[in-house]
Amino acid sequence: MDRDDLDRALLKAHEDNDHAELVRLYTLAGDTAEDAGDIDAACFFLTHAFVFALEAGLPDAKELNRRLAERGRAHPLEL
């Protein structure tokens, strides 16, 4: 998915209030930024994914918290 498609999909997921899709898309954006070597951007997107996962009670929150904690961007939580 290219950046324009990702942006459109994120806007649609926000409009639909689709937390599961927001988690998936923000994680994808974080993975893409990380692959490009932009850790700050990756953590920005992963933080969004983490918050939406927490709000929705999704199991993704645990792995997202681990990834952010590994980079010093969050405290490890017991989820």
Side-chain angles (χ1 to χ4, degrees):
M1 177 179 297
D2 72 20
R3 183 57 194 236
D4 288 338
D5 290 339
L6 180 57
D7 288 345
R8 279 190 290 279
L10 279 165
L11 288 172
K12 174 88 169 95
H14 275 286
E15 182 179 303
D16 294 344
N17 201 30
D18 185 343
H19 285 148
E21 185 68 354
L22 287 165
V23 170
R24 186 185 77 79
L25 292 168
Y26 276 119
T27 300
L28 176 62
D31 292 344
T32 302
E34 187 173 56
D35 289 345
D38 190 345
I39 300 305
D40 287 337
C43 289
F44 173 84
F45 292 122
L46 293 174
T47 298
H48 281 70
F50 178 55
V51 169
F52 284 111
L54 284 173
E55 287 181 350
L58 298 173
D60 307 64
K62 186 173 184 174
E63 174 63 12
L64 290 161
N65 176 249
R66 184 198 64 75
R67 290 178 68 184
L68 290 164
E70 193 173 82
R71 288 160 185 79
R73 306 300 174 98
H75 292 287
L77 302 174
E78 294 292 326
L79 301 171

